[in-house]
Amino acid sequence: MSVAIENFVKAIYNNENHDITDTKPGNIASKLGISSAAATDMAKKLDAKGLLNYEKYQALRLTKKGEKMALNVVRKHRLWEALLHQMFDMSLHEIHREAELLEHETSDFLAEKISEYLGHPKFDPHGDPIPNADGEITTKDTSIALINAEENTEYIVSRLMSTDKEFFEFCALNGIKYGNKIAVKKQFQNSKMTQITIHSNTIVLNQDFTQIIYVNEIN
Amino acid sequence: MSVAIENFVKAIYNNENHDITDTKPGNIASKLGISSAAATDMAKKLDAKGLLNYEKYQALRLTKKGEKMALNVVRKHRLWEALLHQMFDMSLHEIHREAELLEHETSDFLAEKISEYLGHPKFDPHGDPIPNADGEITTKDTSIALINAEENTEYIVSRLMSTDKEFFEFCALNGIKYGNKIAVKKQFQNSKMTQITIHSNTIVLNQDFTQIIYVNEIN
DNA sequence: ATTAATTTTTAAGTAAGCTTAAAAATTTTT
DNA sequence: AAAAATTTTTAAGCTTACTTAAAAATTAAT
């Protein structure tokens, strides 16, 4: 499939995955740096191909087939990031830039070779889960609020589900960001608060925050 | 630059490199699997871009700029082949197939990282020389006829400059093929013959053959 | 509940990279 | 040196993936 189509489908997938409810052509357009008109055209074309459902003025929704394509590209992207990070010690920014190009020119065969070589990793260097060859993500992230505190388990921040500026300021101040390691030390049942450690700092978070900070367990 | 342009320039380069004197649109067309008409159009376009010289009905000749572009793509191709071969133990056919795609989506930055990682190899797994970052091939192959026989030096067959069917039958029979190791044991000055070993077989070749078998010294 | 602002869609048009078919030039054969 | 065969070029047309500008619909504001 063409690079344009793969990127289009991937953009919708990423949007949906970040719980943005209605993904309209305009959103995808600005994400991909194309005009809304081009995005509408593409949406119609991909509807005809059975990759998504398009109805005038409505949100775009990937079909199973479209999601599978997106997951295949995402898998390749994250495998490349993992490989480049491990082998060449490139920065997170650099690996992303290169993976963005390589992902479209990688055969399923090569992706499997990379995965094997790395021991079938479940996460990329950002902490994002790597789908398997069938497009399944076995490891689902959960909000901190739902985790049972266990001394020795470490987690990687996967999502900060908020649009509140102050929340992000708080996160920045405390090193709570995408890809960083944290440990959940104690759940206070009555007050619904959670004690975590991050960068050897201990913080207590109330429910407002623990419900919107998502993490992945480290394999 | 686009994939189509990179492949076009590379096809001309490879042709020239195999001493095929006149490379016309038709040759490139059949190599790339496009029509002659498309190749002619492209040739005109690349002439305007200063990548080659095009004159109606004449052979295509790369400019310095065009050759530099070709060498840049060839470098990436061969570095990928070397990396994939070493890391994933993929066959020569497989690494070629993957490199053919990856070469166009590889930044100079990443190419340099791969080269560094591999210790700046001078040859790929086929025995073809890898141009450096400036597009220079420091190691030039030479015909067997010009080599001084030295016991411990090994060579890799790089080119068989012939179109004669019988010559290729002879080569196939004796394991003389692209990428295979040989040693030059003795030059007979008067008769202009050369004794070589290949796969622990000893063969004596006359000048007709030694002048068209090209090899690279192993680093 | 209108009006205003924004977003989406339609319509027309462009550039890249192809195609086929016919015309023109070259090369080969006799 | 003509005739025949082949190759190259021209011409017209197609698809993909965009663009801008105007029309249509939706969403937000008063």
Side-chain angles (χ1 to χ4, degrees):
Chain A
M1 208 51 52
S2 78
V3 174
I5 293 177
E6 286 185 351
N7 278 333
F8 199 90
V9 162
K10 193 181 69 163
I12 298 173
Y13 174 82
N14 284 334
N15 230 35
E16 284 177 353
N17 208 38
H18 284 85
D19 293 81
I20 293 155
T21 44
D22 61 359
T23 305
K24 293 195 177 165
N27 306 126
I28 302 306
S30 60
K31 202 174 265 194
L32 298 179
I34 61 176
S35 68
S36 292
T40 299
D41 276 2
M42 186 61 99
K44 285 180 190 171
K45 207 170 79 180
L46 299 196
D47 181 281
K49 280 186 191 287
L51 293 167
L52 54 80
N53 296 311
Y54 169 76
E55 283 175 272
K56 273 191 188 182
Y57 301 104
Q58 301 304 304
L60 305 173
R61 282 169 31 256
L62 290 179
T63 60
K64 270 280 156 240
K65 186 178 167 192
E67 189 180 73
K68 196 144 191 178
M69 180 185 286
L71 283 160
N72 187 259
V73 178
V74 164
R75 167 176 166 77
K76 287 165 184 172
H77 180 99
R78 294 180 182 167
L79 282 171
W80 275 119
E81 289 199 337
L83 186 74
L84 297 180
H85 190 66
Q86 174 172 317
M87 293 189 59
F88 304 136
D89 193 36
M90 284 160 57
S91 74
L92 293 184
H93 172 254
E94 286 163 351
I95 61 177
H96 177 78
R97 188 189 59 202
E98 304 294 341
E100 204 66 14
L101 298 174
L102 297 172
E103 62 184 14
H104 305 292
E105 304 302 333
T106 307
S107 66
D108 291 349
F109 174 83
L110 179 55
E112 194 53 27
K113 287 281 180 185
I114 297 172
S115 184
E116 261 172 40
Y117 177 84
L118 295 170
H120 300 294
K122 291 210 173 65
F123 301 101
D124 73 12
H126 293 97
D128 290 317
I130 301 175
N132 70 17
D134 294 323
E136 293 156 355
I137 296 179
T138 49
T139 53
K140 282 212 190 70
D141 57 358
T142 40
S143 74
I144 289 179
L146 301 175
I147 289 175
N148 291 324
E150 280 172 51
E151 269 301 315
N152 298 318
T153 316
E154 281 193 312
Y155 300 88
I156 285 182
V157 177
S158 59
R159 290 192 283 173
L160 301 172
M161 278 178 53
S162 173
T163 53
D164 178 38
K165 201 184 157 202
E166 208 163 284
F167 170 69
F168 282 110
E169 282 170 7
F170 165 80
C171 288
L173 205 62
N174 291 283
I176 298 172
K177 74 170 194 189
Y178 204 52
N180 274 10
K181 276 187 202 166
I182 71 161
V184 177
K185 290 298 177 185
K186 187 161 175 57
Q187 295 284 8
F188 298 95
Q189 300 300 332
N190 297 336
S191 59
K192 306 281 190 195
M193 303 216 295
T194 306
Q195 183 169 330
I196 67 167
T197 37
I198 184 156
H199 291 328
S200 61
N201 289 325
T202 295
I203 319 171
V204 178
L205 304 167
N206 72 10
Q207 201 179 20
D208 292 346
F209 282 8
T210 59
Q211 286 182 332
I212 58 178
I213 299 173
Y214 276 67
V215 296
N216 281 308
E217 196 174 323
I218 292 178
N219 354 11
Chain B
M1 209 50 52
S2 78
V3 174
I5 292 177
E6 286 185 351
N7 278 333
F8 199 89
V9 162
K10 193 181 71 164
I12 299 173
Y13 174 81
N14 283 334
N15 230 36
E16 284 178 351
N17 207 38
H18 285 86
D19 293 82
I20 293 154
T21 43
D22 63 358
T23 304
K24 293 195 178 166
N27 305 126
I28 302 305
S30 60
K31 202 173 267 193
L32 298 180
I34 61 177
S35 68
S36 293
T40 300
D41 277 3
M42 186 61 100
K44 285 179 188 169
K45 207 170 79 179
L46 299 197
D47 180 282
K49 280 187 191 287
L51 292 167
L52 53 79
N53 296 311
Y54 169 76
E55 282 175 274
K56 274 191 188 184
Y57 302 104
Q58 301 304 305
L60 304 172
R61 282 169 30 255
L62 289 179
T63 61
K64 270 279 159 241
K65 186 178 167 191
E67 189 179 74
K68 196 145 193 179
M69 179 184 287
L71 283 160
N72 187 259
V73 179
V74 164
R75 167 176 166 78
K76 288 166 183 172
H77 180 99
R78 293 180 183 168
L79 282 171
W80 275 119
E81 290 200 335
L83 187 73
L84 298 179
H85 190 66
Q86 174 173 318
M87 292 190 58
F88 305 136
D89 193 36
M90 285 161 58
S91 74
L92 292 184
H93 172 254
E94 286 163 350
I95 61 176
H96 177 78
R97 188 190 58 202
E98 305 293 341
E100 205 65 14
L101 298 173
L102 297 173
E103 63 185 13
H104 305 292
E105 304 303 332
T106 307
S107 66
D108 290 349
F109 174 84
L110 179 55
E112 194 53 28
K113 287 280 181 187
I114 297 172
S115 184
E116 261 174 39
Y117 177 84
L118 296 169
H120 301 293
K122 291 212 174 62
F123 301 100
D124 73 12
H126 294 96
D128 290 316
I130 301 175
N132 70 17
D134 294 322
E136 293 157 354
I137 296 179
T138 49
T139 52
K140 282 213 190 68
D141 57 358
T142 40
S143 74
I144 289 180
L146 301 175
I147 288 175
N148 290 325
E150 278 170 54
E151 269 302 313
N152 298 319
T153 316
E154 282 194 310
Y155 300 88
I156 285 182
V157 177
S158 59
R159 290 191 282 174
L160 301 172
M161 278 178 52
S162 173
T163 52
D164 178 38
K165 200 184 157 201
E166 210 163 284
F167 170 68
F168 282 108
E169 284 170 5
F170 166 79
C171 288
L173 206 63
N174 290 284
I176 299 171
K177 73 170 191 188
Y178 204 53
N180 274 9
K181 275 187 203 167
I182 71 161
V184 178
K185 291 298 179 185
K186 186 161 174 58
Q187 295 284 8
F188 299 95
Q189 300 300 332
N190 296 337
S191 59
K192 305 281 188 194
M193 302 215 294
T194 306
Q195 183 169 330
I196 68 169
T197 38
I198 184 156
H199 291 328
S200 61
N201 288 325
T202 295
I203 319 170
V204 178
L205 304 167
N206 71 12
Q207 200 178 22
D208 293 344
F209 283 8
T210 59
Q211 286 182 332
I212 58 178
I213 299 174
Y214 277 67
V215 296
N216 280 309
E217 195 174 325
I218 292 178
N219 352 12

